[in-house]
């Protein structure tokens, strides 16, 4: 099969790495890809959100199966465009991708089907929102209803902060159209984890759990980022909690979507809050997490291609995947300044030596090759990922590799997996 992966980050590098290892894959393309992906796939210069461009690339290259990595093209309907062109695709339709693209779509679905999540109301009117916030009190969570690149959520410590956030969003200054409506939610206490499961629209195949690190600096300090590191498995998401989240949250969601005529085919990424009363849904995403995907791919022992295809074909019912009992951990190297302004083009050295550390794979998130050199070309740049019998050993291996990378313009967190009870360095 000729396979196309859409995207160009660390998640797509990990997917390409796993797909390239499949005997079912005869030729692998990735668009736009990056310098690391170019080592396992042929990269084409087509933007991840360019729907006509990706479809015509697939037609030109006689692609049999397209795998869409990021959320934005899914929410914009890229899967529907591939399907309309007669190309098999991994990823939900535009309608089903509302699960990520619209907070109120998901909150209403949860309400209709009794799926445990934070209590909420949706507002387009500032006065009504203000009255609600005053009634509920703080802490309280304010969210832009639309897709806001992961930045549309304010956890407000005070009523005044919450009102300010709503005013900012509704005025359109802060998130444009994504903020035209706001969702105001109860603040949930607990520990956050991500759970992943494949769905073919009817059947569900649980994958595994992982935990992201969203803040830029050690100890979960500093601004929110796309994710600075992850590990899997996660001790707090033990088997019993995992099963409960599947039966109380994920399965009812897949059934509800099917019954309502919007079957979800692809990977469900459930952001969960594990609190005193058990798991509750924070949010859904309609694609693999980045960087959670990187640790999942390291632990997956089975061929991923038939599983992804079964999502498109409706064949997940009798499917099984084998997982390594080892732990995987990834450390993100980002350009200094990220998630705010940063410079591109600094040179990264020492990658060959780092990649030789036992159990280590280095996925590229934002790099380009120029005259035999590897240059930083983004905020998140490298994902140094390690597999080992324990999380602690995986962390040691990952940082051993990190320390062999010579890139003064980059930085990373040193405490990935501290919530798993591993002492901070
Ligand atoms: P979201 O984009 O919905 O995942 O929100 C981003 C982050 O805000 C989450 O990862 C949580 O850390 C936090 N958050 C969102 N909703 C809530 C909530 N209802 N209670 C507590 N924290 C939340
Ligand atoms: N790791 C966070 C995300 O992929 O949204």
């Amino acid at each position: 099969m000729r396979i196309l992966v859409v995207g160009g980050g660390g998640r797509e590098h990990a997917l390409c790495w796993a797909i390239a290892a499949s005997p079912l894959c005869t030729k692998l393309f990735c668009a736009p890809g990056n310098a690391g992906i170019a080592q396992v796939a042929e990269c084409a210069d087509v933007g991840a959100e360019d729907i006509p461009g990706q479809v015509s690339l697939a037609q030109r290259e006689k692609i049999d199966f397209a795998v869409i990595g990021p959320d934005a093209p899914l929410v914009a309907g890229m899967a529907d465009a591939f399907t309309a062109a007669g190309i098999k695709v991994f990823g939900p339709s535009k309608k089903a991708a509302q699960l990520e693209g619209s907070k109120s779509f998901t909150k209403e679905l949860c309400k209709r089907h009794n799926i445990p999540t934070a209590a909420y109301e949706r507002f387009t009117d500032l006065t009504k929102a203000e009255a609600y916030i005053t009634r509920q009190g703080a802490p309280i969570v304010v969210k832009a209803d639309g897709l806001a690149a992961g930045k549309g959520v304010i956890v407000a410590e005070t009523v005044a902060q919450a009102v300010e956030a709503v005013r900012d969003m509704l005025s359109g200054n802060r998130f444009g159209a994504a903020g035209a409506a706001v969702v105001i939610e109860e603040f949930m206490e607990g520990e956050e984890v991500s759970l992943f499961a494949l769905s073919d629209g009817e059947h569900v195949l649980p994958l595994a759990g992982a935990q992201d690190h969203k803040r830029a600096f050690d100890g979960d300090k500093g601004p929110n980022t796309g994710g600075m590191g992850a590990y899997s498995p996660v001790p707090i998401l033990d088997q019993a909690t995992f099963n409960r989240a599947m039966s109380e949250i994920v399965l009812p969601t897949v059934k509800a979507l099917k019954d309502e005529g919007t079957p979800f085919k692809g990977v469900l990424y459930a952001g969960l809050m594990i609190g005193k009363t058990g798991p509750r849904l924070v949010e859904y995403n309609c694609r693999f997490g980045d960087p959670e995907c990187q640790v999942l791919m390291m632990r997956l022992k089975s061929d991923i291609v038939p599983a992804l295809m079964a999502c498109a074909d409706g064949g997940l019912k009798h499917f099984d995947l084998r997982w390594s009992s080892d732990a995987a951990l990834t450390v993100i190297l980002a350009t200094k300044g990220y998630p705010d302004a940063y410079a591109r083009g600094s040179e990264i050295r020492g990658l060959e030596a780092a990649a030789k550390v036992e159990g280590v794979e280095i996925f590229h998130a934002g790099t380009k090759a120029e005259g035999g050199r590897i240059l930083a070309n983004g905020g998140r740049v490298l994902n140094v990922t390690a597999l080992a019998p324990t999380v602690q050993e995986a962390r040691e291996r990952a940082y051993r590799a990190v320390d062999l990378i010579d890139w003064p313009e980059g930085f990373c967190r040193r405490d990935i997996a501290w919530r798993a009870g591993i002492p901070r360095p």
Side-chain angles (χ1 to χ4, degrees):
M1 261 189 322
R2 297 167 69 82
I3 301 179
L4 168 66
V5 172
V6 174
R11 165 182 52 210
E12 287 76 25
H13 190 181
L15 287 170
C16 283
W17 174 77
I19 292 170
S22 168
L24 294 171
C25 180
T26 50
K27 175 88 190 175
L28 181 59
F29 292 86
C30 184
N34 63 41
I37 293 174
Q39 292 162 12
V40 291
E42 184 173 324
C43 295
D45 190 15
V46 179
E49 294 174 38
D50 177 357
I51 295 180
Q54 291 283 353
V55 172
S56 53
L57 168 68
Q59 287 169 327
R60 204 161 57 241
E61 297 295 351
K62 302 194 166 45
I63 295 299
D64 300 297
F65 186 43
V67 177
I68 302 172
D71 45 294
L74 288 165
V75 172
M78 188 181 277
D80 310 71
F82 277 116
T83 304
I87 297 163
K88 194 182 300 234
V89 62
F90 175 80
S93 68
K94 178 176 181 166
K95 270 183 147 177
Q98 289 179 89
L99 211 52
E100 173 161 6
S102 163
K103 305 258 183 224
S104 56
F105 175 88
T106 301
K107 295 302 286 188
E108 281 157 22
L109 186 103
C110 289
K111 203 180 249 180
R112 280 198 301 280
H113 298 274
N114 274 320
I115 294 168
T117 185
Y120 81 104
E121 292 290 335
R122 179 177 184 271
F123 296 94
T124 52
D125 180 276
L126 178 62
T127 316
K128 287 184 183 150
E130 205 169 336
Y132 181 76
I133 292 168
T134 309
R135 223 163 39 241
Q136 298 297 316
I140 193 161
V141 182
V142 178
K143 302 184 175 186
D145 190 21
L147 206 57
K151 301 197 172 72
V153 175
I154 310 290
V155 178
E157 307 288 342
T158 65
V159 166
Q161 247 175 29
V163 171
E164 177 70 27
V166 173
R167 184 174 293 128
D168 242 27
M169 288 182 190
L170 290 181
S171 68
N173 294 339
R174 188 91 170 261
F175 301 105
V182 298
V183 165
I184 303 179
E185 273 187 22
E186 166 198 359
F187 174 79
M188 294 188 286
E189 279 187 71
E191 179 87 6
E192 258 187 286
V193 298
S194 314
L195 179 157
F196 296 86
L198 296 178
S199 168
D200 64 7
E202 184 171 1
H203 311 108
V204 180
L205 179 67
L207 298 177
Q211 191 172 45
D212 191 9
H213 296 61
K214 290 192 179 173
R215 301 299 192 108
F217 308 127
D218 283 10
D220 291 337
K221 301 280 174 7
N224 259 314
T225 70
M228 294 298 292
Y231 66 97
S232 172
V234 186
I236 191 163
L237 191 63
D238 55 25
Q239 196 60 51
T241 310
F242 191 103
N243 293 347
R244 228 183 118 181
M246 285 301 297
S247 65
E248 293 174 14
I249 298 174
V250 176
L251 295 176
T253 301
V254 169
K255 181 170 186 316
L257 288 169
K258 175 176 174 273
D259 291 348
E260 294 180 6
T262 46
F264 186 96
K265 300 178 175 199
V267 59
L268 268 173
Y269 161 168
L272 303 176
M273 191 69 81
I274 313 293
K276 286 196 189 80
T277 59
R280 289 205 284 170
L281 182 73
V282 178
E283 60 157 359
Y284 271 123
N285 297 308
C286 63
R287 33 98 197 162
F288 281 108
D290 187 350
E292 292 98 320
C293 183
Q294 289 80 316
V295 289
L296 294 188
M297 292 306 113
M298 288 290 273
R299 292 188 56 219
L300 182 62
K301 286 165 96 174
S302 305
D303 187 346
I304 191 176
V305 173
L308 299 181
M309 288 188 60
C311 293
D313 290 338
L316 269 188
K317 189 170 181 188
H318 301 294
F319 224 90
D320 207 6
L321 287 170
R322 284 181 310 118
W323 295 88
S324 169
S325 56
D326 283 0
L329 181 145
T330 189
V331 177
I332 302 337
L333 297 191
T335 307
K336 282 179 186 164
Y338 174 79
D340 298 320
Y342 55 84
R344 290 174 197 259
S346 52
E347 186 178 356
I348 302 162
R349 298 187 188 83
L351 286 172
E352 293 82 13
K356 284 192 188 124
V357 175
E358 189 186 356
V360 165
E361 287 293 332
I362 299 175
F363 299 120
H364 291 219
T367 59
K368 68 174 181 185
E370 210 172 86
R373 300 183 310 157
I374 299 290
L375 306 181
N377 191 37
R380 292 192 293 175
V381 171
L382 296 167
N383 310 152
V384 180
T385 313
L387 189 69
T390 64
V391 180
Q392 174 133 20
E393 287 165 281
R395 183 205 260 182
E396 283 160 16
R397 286 179 176 179
Y399 284 114
R400 209 176 309 141
V402 165
D403 290 336
L404 290 167
I405 295 174
D406 175 13
W407 182 36
E409 293 82 359
F411 77 99
C412 67
R413 281 181 59 159
R414 286 272 157 191
D415 63 348
I416 301 307
W418 71 276
R419 287 177 182 276
I422 302 170
R424 309 237 301 264

